[in-house]
Amino acid sequence: MTRWLWAAAGGVAIVAVAILQTYRLGDSPAYLNLDETHFANHAYSLATSGRDLNGNRLPLFISLEDPLGDQPTLAWGTTWYHPVGFYAIASVLTLAPLSEWSIRLPIALVGVLNLVLIFLVARKWSGTRTTALAAAALLAMTPAHFILSRMALDYLLPVPFTLGWLLALGHLRASPTSRSAVAAGLVLGAGCFSYVSSWLVMPVYLAVTAVVLRNELRRSDLIAPLTVAFCVPLLAWLPWIFLHPEMPGNLLAQYQAGETRRSLLSAVATGTDITGAVKTTMAAYWSYFDPSFLFIAGGSSRLVSTGAIGVWPLGVGALLVMALLRTVNRLGVAERILLGGLLLAPMPAALKGEPFAIQRAITMLPFGVLLAVLALDGLKSRTRLQQALVVIALVAVPVQFTGFVDDYFSGYRARAAAVIDPTAFRDTARVLIDLLERRQPPALAVTAPLYDASAKWRFYATSSGHPEWLARTRYFSGRLEEIAALPTGALAVVESATLTSHAGWEVVASPMSLFGQSPLTILEKQ
């Protein structure tokens, strides 16, 4: 009976979280981030043709270039993205129409999957359902996890692979067999294709697993099947690199370019200012352990933080402190692995010289939560004061999270809109599509580069059932004299702020954005 009650409670909890995770998914966030539209466009092409927009059949990595869109010259050349996110979205688009909610749905479901996985990990490692339930609840009420679960981006994707590895490692420690070792290796190898930082963290997890096999379990014989299994998914990379030898250089240059602070990667590559780059790297690394960042404000970027709550609620911080104080003098293998994972997570972002960007140190979330629930161990045997502090911290988390959710769907939605898309292109696209359907203009011109306007226009033209307009769209710098030869009745989309004179053109509309401005104007040729 107890097992059935736990199963029923777990099912209800999963459904409740899934409802909250997918609630108003199409309009919160209010606008699509520029990379969301790139993910959507290529995923839709994969779902409908089996090829990306550039004609590559079932590509291993995706180039964001669009043959019909604006193609600016980038300092690093081609921009490559990892495949898991694209194929996850494509799998949904084989069944659902192209829309804001459908492209965000698979990442939201990954967020729900993370909660199931962390429950299983905590259950395996702690042996108690109460601790496992607390771990799942704390991750569900982690603001950074909630926010990133609602965008069609790949930031969240290393988390299920990290949790899958921890689950496999738990099985391996309990039953050191070749099957368990192979499972751990396969999860880590596949995880390398989830997000660019995984190329650093997954091999480190592999090394940790090998150390556990050799030192704790005395099963060095299992290191070979573990390593071979890790390499099996990576074999797909070899023919891809043979066909695209420029890709490693593109990736390295991409993550060196445009930095306000010199990254260590760039300094080592050029052999200059290594001392300054080391200082920058250390400062960036320590920023991820700033208490204000973790538990108060969550960083300055409204893309991944409301600014009114930290990466975790304050209660999680209190639990973390109590757990670390309790375990500092008796760190076992499990505690060392979790603490090491937490300390490793910000390293890729630090090497890039990027502070306070939790999306680039996303694996901090599961390791931090799993460490926090250690505060529950042996709770009955502690003093009344210690028990009271734990209870207060646990109660504070849902109280603060409730306020966060209310703000997320109201004030934050407007505050974040200008950061997510300063052009508010969705508002303009709706008006533009209505004009195209009613007036059937002979041509359309869109200002570019305009925060990836071509990707957004492809998304809205396709989702509205008018992909034929893409081939008839011209991209220009925004200077109307460049398109003076367009026929009467043609439409043009320009930036409102740069529109000083429009002789020969008539203003048709200047759609108002959610953040109270009209960033774009639609003109008609007279």
Side-chain angles (χ1 to χ4, degrees):
M1 181 62 69
T2 301
R3 178 190 293 179
W4 281 106
L5 287 174
W6 272 99
V12 171
I14 291 173
V15 171
V17 169
I19 291 174
L20 178 61
Q21 201 71 64
T22 56
Y23 174 67
R24 292 180 59 184
L25 200 57
D27 72 344
S28 295
Y31 300 132
L32 290 177
N33 174 273
L34 74 164
D35 280 345
E36 285 187 283
T37 53
H38 283 300
F39 271 79
N41 293 335
H42 282 278
Y44 182 76
S45 181
L46 288 169
T48 54
S49 69
R51 300 177 183 273
D52 66 12
L53 292 178
N54 296 295
N56 299 305
R57 183 168 184 79
L58 299 178
L60 184 61
F61 292 88
I62 311 292
S63 165
L64 294 190
E65 296 169 350
D66 185 338
L68 293 181
D70 172 52
Q71 299 184 40
T73 301
L74 302 174
W76 54 83
T78 300
T79 300
W80 299 95
Y81 275 63
H82 288 60
V84 173
F86 292 94
Y87 285 102
I89 297 171
S91 65
V92 171
L93 294 181
T94 58
L95 303 173
L98 180 65
S99 66
E100 287 97 336
W101 73 264
S102 63
I103 66 170
R104 288 170 171 167
L105 179 62
I107 307 302
L109 295 179
V110 168
V112 177
L113 173 63
N114 289 339
L115 307 183
V116 176
L117 287 174
I118 202 169
F119 175 89
L120 296 175
V121 170
R123 181 78 171 89
K124 187 69 178 178
W125 285 49
S126 70
T128 67
R129 291 192 184 98
T130 302
T131 300
L133 183 61
L138 290 182
L139 185 59
M141 292 183 285
T142 296
H145 185 270
F146 183 84
I147 291 173
L148 290 170
S149 295
R150 296 178 59 86
M151 291 187 284
L153 301 172
D154 57 355
Y155 295 128
L156 195 68
L157 296 180
V159 175
F161 291 98
T162 297
L163 289 169
W165 165 67
L166 287 172
L167 184 60
L169 184 58
H171 283 289
L172 187 60
R173 295 178 67 210
S175 177
T177 64
S178 296
R179 179 177 296 182
S180 300
V182 167
L186 286 175
V187 169
L188 293 178
C192 290
F193 297 100
S194 61
Y195 185 64
V196 65
S197 64
S198 296
W199 290 98
L200 173 61
V201 298
M202 298 299 167
V204 174
Y205 296 161
L206 178 71
V208 169
T209 309
V211 170
V212 169
L213 286 172
R214 187 187 65 182
N215 295 348
E216 182 192 11
L217 304 177
R218 308 298 179 186
R219 291 296 306 270
S220 297
D221 58 300
L222 296 181
I223 295 177
L226 168 75
T227 306
V228 170
F230 175 79
C231 293
V232 167
L234 304 186
L235 293 177
W237 196 59
L238 298 179
W240 180 263
I241 288 298
F242 178 78
L243 295 174
H244 303 275
E246 75 283 2
M247 181 188 150
N250 291 153
L251 278 175
L252 184 60
Q254 177 186 347
Y255 282 87
Q256 292 173 5
E259 296 298 325
T260 56
R261 303 180 182 181
R262 193 166 184 78
S263 71
L264 186 58
L265 292 173
S266 178
V268 171
T270 59
T272 59
D273 195 25
I274 294 180
T275 301
V278 169
K279 292 179 180 178
T280 297
T281 300
M282 293 302 297
Y285 179 80
W286 287 116
S287 73
Y288 290 92
F289 300 99
D290 183 333
S292 176
F293 168 66
L294 290 178
F295 309 114
I296 304 297
S300 59
S301 173
R302 294 292 77 85
L303 178 66
V304 293
S305 169
T306 65
I309 195 171
V311 171
W312 287 296
L314 271 170
V316 175
L319 291 173
L320 263 173
V321 170
M322 286 185 279
L324 292 175
L325 289 175
R326 181 173 173 78
T327 61
V328 68
N329 293 322
R330 53 182 186 85
L331 287 177
V333 173
E335 289 81 6
R336 291 175 185 176
I337 291 172
L338 296 179
L339 185 57
L342 181 67
L343 295 175
L344 170 69
M347 189 57 69
L351 291 174
K352 190 174 183 285
E354 188 170 3
F356 302 112
I358 191 59
Q359 70 272 26
R360 302 202 184 276
I362 194 67
T363 53
M364 288 185 72
L365 303 186
F367 286 112
V369 166
L370 289 169
L371 280 169
V373 296
L374 292 178
L376 304 181
D377 288 349
L379 186 60
K380 291 182 179 180
S381 62
R382 299 189 211 171
T383 66
R384 290 186 180 275
L385 176 60
Q386 291 172 330
Q387 292 175 347
L389 290 175
V390 171
V391 171
I392 291 172
L394 288 173
V395 171
V397 172
V399 171
Q400 193 176 10
F401 183 75
T402 300
F404 156 76
V405 170
D406 181 65
D407 180 44
Y408 178 86
F409 289 109
S410 55
Y412 167 73
R413 185 169 174 269
R415 294 198 306 274
V419 176
I420 293 173
D421 183 5
T423 68
F425 198 87
R426 184 181 73 172
D427 300 326
T428 299
R430 289 174 174 175
V431 175
L432 185 59
I433 289 169
D434 179 66
L435 289 171
L436 292 173
E437 291 176 339
R438 289 189 294 105
R439 301 190 182 187
Q440 294 295 314
L444 171 66
V446 177
T447 300
L450 185 60
Y451 204 67
D452 283 26
S454 62
K456 294 168 189 171
W457 174 231
R458 175 184 279 276
F459 175 86
Y460 287 108
T462 304
S463 62
S464 66
H466 294 284
E468 71 276 4
W469 275 102
L470 298 173
R472 300 170 62 183
T473 300
R474 172 179 173 179
Y475 296 96
F476 71 115
S477 70
R479 298 173 59 193
L480 293 176
E481 55 265 32
E482 290 183 16
I483 54 173
L486 290 182
T488 300
L491 298 179
V493 179
V494 298
E495 289 184 89
S496 301
T498 62
L499 186 63
T500 57
S501 174
H502 51 88
W505 295 81
E506 180 182 351
V507 173
V508 177
S510 293
M512 182 65 67
S513 69
L514 187 64
F515 47 90
Q517 300 175 15
S518 298
L520 300 179
T521 295
I522 302 174
L523 304 174
E524 183 179 38
K525 182 68 182 297
Q526 299 301 299

